[in-house]
Amino acid sequence: MSHSSQRKEKDCLNCGTIVQGKYCHVCGQENVEPKESFWHMVTHFSYDITHFDSKFFETMKDLLFKPGFLSKEYMIGRRASYLHPVKMYVFTSALFFLLFFSLFKGENAISTNANQPISLREREAAISELKELLVKDTANKLLREGILLLEDTSKPITAKEVLAYYGDKHNFLNIGGIKYRSQTEYDSVQQSLPVSNRDGWFMRRLVKKTIQINEKYRENPEEAFKKLGDGVLHRLPYMLFVSLPLFALLLKLAYWRRKQFYYTDHAVFAIHLYIFSFIVLTAVFALDKLDDMIHSNFIGVVMGILFLMLFFYLYKAMRKFYGQKRGKTFLKFLLLSFFSIIMMIVLFGFFLFFSAFTL
């Protein structure tokens, strides 16, 4: 609200509509003199900030301590007193991922254990594979040295040391049993097969991309895993954004018979749930870093409680928003949790696969 003088003219300076009263009924702009003093500008700015703060803290209080309440208020039309759920989602997710990316790095996302001694079972598997390669290349001295070294169990050997004995015959990335060393080899094998037995379009793309990655990073697989981890981490915001409408769809299916709830109502409920999740996970990550410094068992207990709160909050929010009995709500809560976990696993697999294709 402005403290500037009201204009005598009744035409809105923003849209030109004839104003009936102090505010334009079309665009909402206040019909005041456009020229204002510096003091008016400062007071107007202060009002906007304090007004935003009051709405923000009121909204956050209700979100944290009244599960499902904000979604219910939004559905029945009481919205002016609270921040819009989309604005809240953008704000909280931005803070969450700012903290997340400052704490977690791509090179630490996927551990290869390349410098750790391999187990007896891994030795036996490597010996078997090297012997298979030796049958095809009997004059290869490097393969023979590798076999002898692996058979001597008195000496520890790391995965990185083993790789050196494969030369250019090792594929560190092996999807679906793909063992071709070059695209030329793969094309030759495909040409020798009947047309009906050849790989389809997708499988050809998959095999050739796998061969390309192996050729590019064969000498330095750790670099590939570092880039893969970095790619996965930086696609997490997109994954969560994609999961939100899918989660709303699961809610729609769970409450299919409740015709008074439209898909947008379920989406608003999902947004509020995600905002709460961002806040809780931010607290968990902060506590995890604090635990690294002081090593307290109490912090671990608090983190566990916070994780359990996510599920408890979902149940309470469903009970409040949809208004069904406890038994029916709990059954739908279990089904929703189960299918949500499956959905997130599938999405994570898809984004992991996509990240590997962009290496």
Side-chain angles (χ1 to χ4, degrees), residues 29 60 90 102 106 117 142 156 176-177 188 195 217 224 227 230 232 248 257 274 286-287 300 327 339:
Q29 178 166 294
M60 290 300 294
V90 172
S102 67
L142 196 62
S188 176
V195 176
Y217 296 102
K227 289 186 176 180
D230 192 62
V232 171
R257 295 183 179 180
Y274 273 50
L287 287 172
F339 285 108

Side-chain angles (χ1 to χ4, degrees), residues 129 166 168-174 178-181 210-211 214-215 218:
E129 191 172 355
Y166 281 86
D168 62 350
K169 299 181 181 298
H170 176 69
N171 288 338
F172 76 93
L173 183 62
N174 189 355
I178 297 170
K179 296 184 178 180
Y180 301 103
R181 302 290 186 261
T210 303
I211 294 171
N214 280 316
E215 289 178 340
R218 184 172 283 124

Side-chain angles (χ1 to χ4, degrees), residues 5 29 94 105 128 171 177 191 232 254 267 294 346 357:
S5 303
Q29 178 166 294
K105 305 298 180 183
S128 177
N171 288 338
Q191 290 295 328
V232 171
I294 64 176
V346 171
F357 254 69

Side-chain angles (χ1 to χ4, degrees), residues 96-328:
F96 169 75
F97 283 110
L98 182 65
L99 176 66
F100 181 82
F101 290 129
S102 67
L103 295 179
F104 297 96
K105 305 298 180 183
E107 57 266 25
N108 300 324
I110 300 178
S111 176
T112 60
N113 296 321
N115 295 313
Q116 298 295 323
I118 61 174
S119 64
L120 182 60
R121 180 177 295 180
E122 289 171 329
R123 276 178 180 265
E124 293 172 351
I127 291 170
S128 177
E129 191 172 355
L130 287 175
K131 285 182 176 179
E132 287 180 13
L133 293 173
L134 188 61
V135 170
K136 299 176 183 178
D137 187 6
T138 55
N140 194 314
K141 295 181 179 180
L142 196 62
L143 293 174
R144 293 181 185 276
E145 290 177 12
I147 294 171
L148 291 174
L149 184 64
L150 285 164
E151 288 178 340
D152 183 5
T153 56
S154 63
K155 297 178 181 179
I157 184 172
T158 66
K160 195 170 185 178
E161 290 171 329
V162 173
L163 288 177
Y165 291 98
Y166 281 86
D168 62 350
K169 299 181 181 298
H170 176 69
N171 288 338
F172 76 93
L173 183 62
N174 189 355
I175 301 176
I178 297 170
K179 296 184 178 180
Y180 301 103
R181 302 290 186 261
S182 66
Q183 294 193 25
T184 303
E185 179 186 351
Y186 172 68
D187 290 335
S188 176
V189 171
Q190 287 294 298
Q191 290 295 328
S192 66
L193 295 173
V195 176
S196 59
N197 292 340
R198 294 175 186 174
D199 293 336
W201 176 86
F202 177 77
M203 193 61 187
R204 288 199 306 271
R205 291 288 305 275
L206 176 63
V207 172
K208 289 188 175 183
K209 185 62 181 180
T210 303
I211 294 171
Q212 180 186 342
I213 293 172
N214 280 316
E215 289 178 340
K216 185 176 180 180
Y217 296 102
R218 184 172 283 124
E219 301 298 326
N220 190 11
E222 291 179 337
E223 179 67 18
F225 285 110
K226 176 183 175 181
K227 289 186 176 180
L228 179 61
D230 192 62
V232 171
L233 282 183
H234 283 85
R235 286 181 175 89
L236 280 179
Y238 303 104
M239 187 185 82
L240 290 176
F241 185 76
V242 171
S243 72
L244 201 154
L246 295 177
F247 183 77
L249 180 61
L250 291 178
L251 287 167
K252 178 69 176 177
L253 294 174
Y255 292 94
W256 183 259
R257 295 183 179 180
R258 306 295 298 276
K259 301 300 181 183
Q260 69 270 36
F261 293 98
Y262 294 95
Y263 178 79
T264 51
D265 299 323
H266 300 299
V268 169
F269 179 89
I271 289 172
H272 284 137
L273 178 66
Y274 273 50
I275 294 170
F276 179 80
S277 301
F278 285 140
I279 295 170
V280 171
L281 291 176
T282 300
V284 168
F285 292 148
L287 287 172
D288 182 55
K289 287 301 174 183
L290 180 62
D291 188 42
D292 289 342
M293 292 186 289
I294 64 176
H295 304 289
S296 171
N297 292 330
F298 175 73
I299 292 179
V301 173
V302 174
M303 289 169 60
I305 292 173
L306 287 174
F307 271 119
L308 291 176
M309 278 181 59
L310 291 173
F311 294 96
F312 178 73
Y313 186 92
L314 173 59
Y315 167 76
K316 293 293 290 183
M318 291 171 64
R319 178 98 168 86
K320 172 69 176 179
F321 184 65
Y322 295 105
Q324 290 188 326
K325 294 182 179 179
R326 289 184 176 85
K328 185 176 287 189

